[in-house]
């Protein structure tokens, strides 16, 4: 979960190479989602989603690898399309949302892999447990927003996690332990 902001840094670097100071981009909660999926007993692929992100991207045009990202969102923002499943997922069997209400990600390293791709390593904390994860990120666009008329960035990222790494492995291996994560996020330079 998924950080994943390296590609924003790369695009920003190409567009504003002369700029010396890092620029803060705030996440757009209304256009940012994490969709996850897992195998259910071999019969289907079940999905869910999180939204309601808060966070910041610090983009360093002169040294993209020195950029950073911090993201958090409430476990209670979970949507699965089945209220009983959502309620169970929020219990101590899985997210432990009462004791651990936030899911957080903080980048620890950025590796540029091409003009619009990169690998972002960071610390993901869920259910009170922190593990290092790597996000495979792609820059979708870096441009002025046509309605807001200010700098905007959009990117996608993917990763895979094991539920059991976060003490969320109930029903494994019958219900898949491996979770596929797809992230799509927009971020903006705040209005002055």
């Amino acid at each position: 979960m998924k950080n994943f902001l390296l590609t924003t840094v790369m695009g920003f670097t190409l567009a504003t190479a002369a700029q010396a100071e890092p620029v803060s981009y705030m996440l757009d909660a209304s256009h940012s989602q994490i969709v996850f999926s897992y195998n259910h007993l071999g019969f289907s692929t079940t999905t869910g989603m999180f939204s309601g992100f808060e966070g910041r991207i610090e983009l360093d045009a002169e040294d993209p690898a020195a950029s950073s990202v911090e993201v958090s969102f409430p476990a209670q923002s979970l949507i699965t399309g089945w209220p009983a499943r959502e309620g169970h997922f929020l219990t101590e069997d899985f997210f432990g949302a009462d004791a651990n209400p936030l899911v957080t990600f903080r980048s620890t390293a950025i590796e540029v892999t091409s003009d619009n791709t990169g690998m972002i390593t960071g610390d993901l904390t869920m259910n009170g447990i922190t593990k290092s994860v790597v996000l495979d990120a792609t820059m979708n666009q870096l441009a002025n927003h046509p309605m807001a008329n200010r700098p905007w960035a959009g990117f996608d990222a993917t990763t895979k996690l094991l539920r059991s790494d976060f003490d969320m492995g109930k029903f494994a291996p019958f219900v898949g332990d491996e979770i596929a994560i797809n992230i799509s996020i927009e971020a903006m330079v705040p209005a002055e």
Side-chain angles (χ1 to χ4, degrees):
M1 278 198 197
K2 343 64 169 54
N3 256 32
F4 50 96
L5 301 172
L6 163 66
T7 53
T8 301
V9 172
M10 294 179 295
F12 182 79
T13 300
L14 294 174
T16 59
Q19 188 165 351
E21 295 294 317
V23 175
S24 291
Y25 278 66
M26 303 306 291
L27 295 188
D28 176 3
S30 67
H31 295 98
S32 298
Q33 306 86 32
I34 294 176
V35 177
F36 64 90
S37 60
Y38 60 93
N39 180 286
H40 183 254
L41 304 171
F43 294 112
S44 67
T45 299
T46 303
T47 60
M49 184 180 86
F50 288 98
S51 61
F53 295 5
E54 293 183 6
R56 178 193 342 254
I57 306 163
E58 294 294 330
L59 300 177
D60 187 326
E62 292 187 355
D63 183 8
S67 299
S68 64
V69 59
E70 291 187 18
V71 176
S72 66
F73 58 91
Q76 295 276 355
S77 71
L78 172 67
I79 300 167
T80 69
W82 193 258
R85 180 184 304 122
E86 291 163 13
H88 187 200
F89 279 0
L90 294 174
T91 70
E92 61 279 356
D93 284 347
F94 297 99
F95 284 94
D98 286 341
N100 305 290
L102 286 180
V103 177
T104 64
F105 177 87
R106 284 195 172 97
S107 64
T108 57
I110 296 173
E111 177 190 355
V112 176
T113 56
S114 79
D115 287 345
N116 69 334
T117 62
M119 307 299 282
I120 299 174
T121 301
D123 291 333
L124 174 65
T125 301
M126 277 192 309
N127 194 26
I129 297 171
T130 302
K131 297 284 184 181
S132 181
V133 300
V134 178
L135 304 172
D136 187 350
T138 300
M139 167 61 82
N140 297 326
Q141 181 168 241
L142 181 71
N144 260 7
H145 191 284
M147 290 175 264
N149 195 29
R150 55 189 157 127
W152 218 268
F155 52 91
D156 292 339
T158 60
T159 193
K160 291 186 178 179
L161 305 174
L162 294 179
R163 302 188 286 123
S164 56
D165 284 348
F166 296 89
D167 195 22
M168 299 169 62
K170 191 161 183 85
F171 306 125
F174 307 107
V175 175
D177 192 22
E178 185 175 84
I179 304 294
I181 310 267
N182 292 285
I183 302 162
S184 191
I185 287 183
E186 293 184 27
M188 72 201 95
V189 171
E192 294 182 3

